[in-house]
């Protein structure tokens, strides 16, 4: 049996003692250099274990050079921009929607400098962090007051903790759902210290159910939009208007958590059922909670709009402080909201709305141009244009069906999974779908400027050795 060359791999200490790395330890730090030593040694071991041909172990000085480069250049960044060819417009695993250029610029300008987050430049006095945003949100929604926190989950927690700790919150049993990972409404309500008073049944709830549970001691009525499931068949839901009137009769605030809430009517863009926040406020909802990074197309945050007295109370709660947003987020949201002041430019400037507004004709033309180029590459046997449907957010909003156009490619010599894996390794990474051992590139979520990258990335794929182990593993260290 041949001796395993890895037995002779140098130890961490031996490498740290090498002249190249010794200098770095003195200049930078022992722990930083030692970390890179371990990472590179792991990589070398992995390279040897997966190598198909004989190779010799690098010398100590070769290894030290590689480690030194790693220390000086930094580890490859874990987070990268990708091309989203899944067709899903708000994919949770790809960070939901990209920001408008104006928002990115605003974010960068405050991130690289000090910023007047809590300083009024005119008077030199302190002003509230939310100052500029609040004006904008009041104007756009018609609400008396507004607050922005880190995300919608934070908005719900801060709201319930501030308004309902130790008291009852009336909520429909049919709305006590799990919405995305570790967001389960019964647990959220309990964690905020409120007591859920469930009304109705899993499939049917009437306003009488709410009425029977609501009295002067009730802290709030909570309506939660079912955004990732549907009750079909024998189902009955109450009208929001009836609940608002009930709340008003008992002087109990009605809180509506929309999750997906829009500042403008999205019906012209093919989304007829999306709640429009200004309409909810006009209808008399006391507090509306929605995400800044879903239909608004802004940075990750949770937006609260509604009655002054309620917002004021929430704002003073420690959870609002614990979930407050950074100045780059404030700047990005303010810049995004500015775009909404001009209804004409919203559709052109907010990337999410731009993607949503693209006609199927446009997508088809682009797909017809790209398919032959993709078919001409070595890794693809055939590529055809297929009209299909996609969704806003994978499992979420199942009732919203968005028409789209895809390129369906049959790979040559490798599996579609392998092809999708290689595209994820390209630069920038391309994220595609695999269906029936075909690669599916959905143009609904691809910007036209990215089209050519789809072709180039597939062209750049080198011939694949037939018997390589399926996926290049990223050797994850537990
Ligand atoms: C998306 C969503 C949430 C969670 O929003 P985050 O901003 O991710 O915290 C909560 N409730 C509803 C109804 C949602 O749609």
């Amino acid at each position: 049996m041949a001796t395993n060359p890895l037995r002779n791999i140098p130890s961490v200490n031996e490498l740290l003692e090498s002249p190249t790395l010794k200098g770095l330890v003195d200049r930078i730090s022992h722990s930083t250099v030692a970390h890179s030593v371990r990472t590179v040694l792991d990589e070398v071991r992995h390279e040897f274990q997966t190598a198909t041909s004989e190779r010799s172990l690098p010398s100590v000085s070769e290894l030290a050079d590689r480690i030194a480069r790693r220390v000086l250049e930094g580890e490859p960044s874990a987070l990268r921009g990708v091309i989203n060819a899944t067709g899903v417009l708000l994919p949770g695993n790809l960070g939901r929607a990209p920001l408008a250029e104006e928002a990115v610029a605003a974010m960068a300008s405050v991130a690289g400098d000090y910023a007047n987050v809590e300083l009024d430049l005119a008077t030199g006095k302190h002003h509230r962090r939310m100052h500029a945003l609040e004006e904008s949100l009041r104007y756009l929604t018609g609400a008396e007051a507004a607050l922005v926190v880190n995300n919608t989950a934070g908005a719900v927690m801060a709201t319930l903790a501030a308004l309902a700790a130790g008291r009852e919150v009336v909520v429909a049993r049919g709305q006590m759902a799990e919405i995305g990972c570790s967001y389960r409404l019964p647990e959220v309500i309990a964690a905020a210290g409120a007591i859920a008073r469930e009304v109705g049944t899993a499939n049917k709830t009437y306003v009488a159910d709410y009425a029977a549970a609501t009295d002067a001691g009730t802290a709030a009525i909570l309506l939660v939009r079912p955004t990732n499931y549907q009750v079909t068949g024998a189902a009955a839901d109450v009208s929001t208007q009836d609940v608002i009137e009930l709340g008003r009769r008992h002087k109990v605030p009605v809180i509506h958590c929309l999750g997906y809430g829009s500042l403008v009517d999205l019906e012209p863009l093919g989304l007829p059922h999306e709640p429009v926040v200004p309409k909810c406020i006009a209808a008399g909802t006391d507090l509306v909670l929605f995400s800044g990074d879903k239909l608004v197309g802004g940075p990750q945050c949770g937006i609260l709009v509604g009655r002054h007295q309620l917002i004021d109370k929430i704002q003073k709660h420690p959870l609002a402080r614990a979930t407050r947003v950074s100045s780059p987020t404030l700047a990005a949201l303010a810049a995004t909201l500015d775009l909404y002041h001009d209804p004409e430019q919203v559709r052109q400037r907010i990337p999410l709305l731009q993607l949503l507004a693209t006609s199927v004709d446009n997508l088809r033309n682009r797909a017809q141009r790209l398919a032959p180029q993709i078919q001409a590459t070595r890794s693809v046997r055939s590529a055809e244009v297929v009209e299909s449907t996609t969704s806003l957010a994978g499992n979420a909003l199942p009732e919203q069906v968005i028409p789209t156009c895809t390129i369906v490619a049959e790979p040559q010599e490798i599996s579609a999974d392998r092809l999708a894996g290689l595209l994820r390794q390209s630069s920038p990474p391309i994220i595609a779908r695999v269906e029936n051992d075909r690669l599916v590139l959905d143009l609904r979520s691809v910007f036209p400027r990215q089209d050519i990258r789809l072709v180039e990335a597939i062209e750049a794929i080198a011939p694949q050795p037939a018997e390589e182990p399926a996926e290049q593993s990223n050797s994850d260290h537990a």
Side-chain angles (χ1 to χ4, degrees), residues 120-140:
D120 183 338
L121 294 177
T123 63
K125 295 211 168 86
H126 176 270
H127 74 186
R128 293 192 314 118
R129 210 162 237 269
M130 294 297 149
H131 186 73
L133 274 178
E134 191 173 46
E135 280 307 304
S136 204
L137 282 167
R138 281 171 47 188
Y139 171 77
L140 292 169

Side-chain angles (χ1 to χ4, degrees), residues 176-321:
M176 288 290 254
E178 175 176 304
I179 306 169
C181 72
S182 59
Y183 187 90
R184 312 180 85 199
L185 201 64
E187 291 166 14
V188 171
I189 294 172
I195 301 158
R197 174 80 183 268
E198 292 186 37
V199 300
T201 63
N203 60 332
K204 292 195 180 193
T205 309
Y206 305 100
V207 72
D209 296 323
Y210 282 93
T214 304
D215 58 35
T218 304
I221 299 175
L222 177 65
L223 300 170
V224 183
R225 182 162 175 237
T227 50
N228 65 342
Y229 64 101
Q230 262 177 309
V231 182
T232 57
D237 206 357
V238 290
S239 98
T240 307
Q241 207 54 53
D242 289 347
V243 176
I244 291 170
E245 272 155 33
L246 175 73
R248 191 159 297 161
R249 273 204 304 283
H250 292 278
K251 297 197 163 52
V252 171
V254 174
I255 303 164
H256 200 164
C257 180
L258 301 174
Y260 294 79
S262 175
L263 293 171
V264 292
D265 189 354
L266 295 179
E267 182 157 5
L269 300 188
L271 294 182
H273 310 296
E274 290 314 299
V276 185
V277 176
K279 286 188 184 161
C280 298
I281 292 293
T285 314
D286 298 293
L287 199 58
V288 180
L289 315 181
F290 59 109
S291 167
D293 54 326
K294 287 179 176 169
L295 295 174
V296 175
Q300 182 201 296
C301 60
I303 303 174
L304 305 85
V305 292
R307 306 244 180 254
H308 202 286
Q309 177 228 342
L310 300 176
I311 295 278
D312 210 40
K313 232 171 155 176
I314 299 165
Q315 192 154 253
K316 292 189 176 122
H317 192 276
L319 269 180
R321 175 63 180 79

